[in-house]
Every structure is written in C-alpha cells, then in structure tokens.
Amino acid sequence: MTRHLTHTCTGTCSQRIEIELDGDTIRNVVFTGGCHGNTQGIAALVRGMKAADAAARLAGIDCRGRGTSCPDQLAQALRTIG
C-alpha cells in the first residue's frame, strides 16, 4: 500500500518534505527548500530504508545550533506515521 505524507518543516531552511512510502519502506523523499545538494543526498540515502530505521538514524541531528535540521525534520515526519 502506497502512502503519501507531507510534513511542514520548522526551524530549517527547507519548508516542506513530501514522503512516499510503500508499506513501511521509504520509496521517495522530496524536500522543498534547503540546501539542494544535501537534501537530495539525504533523500537518496533513505530510499529503500524502513521508515523507523531512517528516523532512528536521523533524529537529533542539529544544524547551526537550531535544535533541528533537515534530517531531523525528516525523522520527525517519519515518526508521525507510527
């Protein structure tokens, strides 16, 4: 079953994350805003991963003392799907 999730980011340069899941596996991730090369890299690295594994790996990453980051925002979004 394919599911789509839209996450509105807070505290980062990226404004939104679009996530496509096949069951509990990440099929595709697209960031709107942020550092394009970095967000593309994050998206490529998590493609094919289980959502829970990606969330555990990315949670808590900080960008410039903001208390969050694009990877952390992705982790927060993935954790909402349970």
Side-chain angles (χ1 to χ4, degrees), residues 48-74:
M49 287 183 73
K50 299 290 184 193
D53 294 340
R57 194 170 282 189
L58 300 174
I61 294 175
D62 182 71
C63 181
R64 299 179 184 188
R66 295 178 181 174
T68 191
S69 63
C70 294
D72 182 61
Q73 289 292 300
L74 177 56

Side-chain angles (χ1 to χ4, degrees), residues 4 6 19 40 43 48 50-51 62 67 70 74 76:
H4 298 273
T6 300
I19 305 164
Q40 280 185 310
K50 299 290 184 193
D62 182 71
C70 294
L74 177 56
Q76 289 181 36

Side-chain angles (χ1 to χ4, degrees), residues 3-51:
R3 294 185 288 172
H4 298 273
L5 172 68
T6 300
H7 175 77
T8 302
C9 298
T10 58
T12 61
C13 299
S14 55
Q15 294 91 35
R16 185 176 64 239
I17 307 170
E18 302 286 335
I19 305 164
E20 182 180 352
L21 298 159
D22 185 7
D24 64 347
T25 301
I26 300 167
R27 180 183 273 179
N28 194 39
V29 175
V30 176
F31 287 83
T32 301
C35 303
H36 190 62
N38 290 336
T39 56
Q40 280 185 310
I42 295 163
L45 289 170
V46 300
R47 193 173 299 122
M49 287 183 73
K50 299 290 184 193

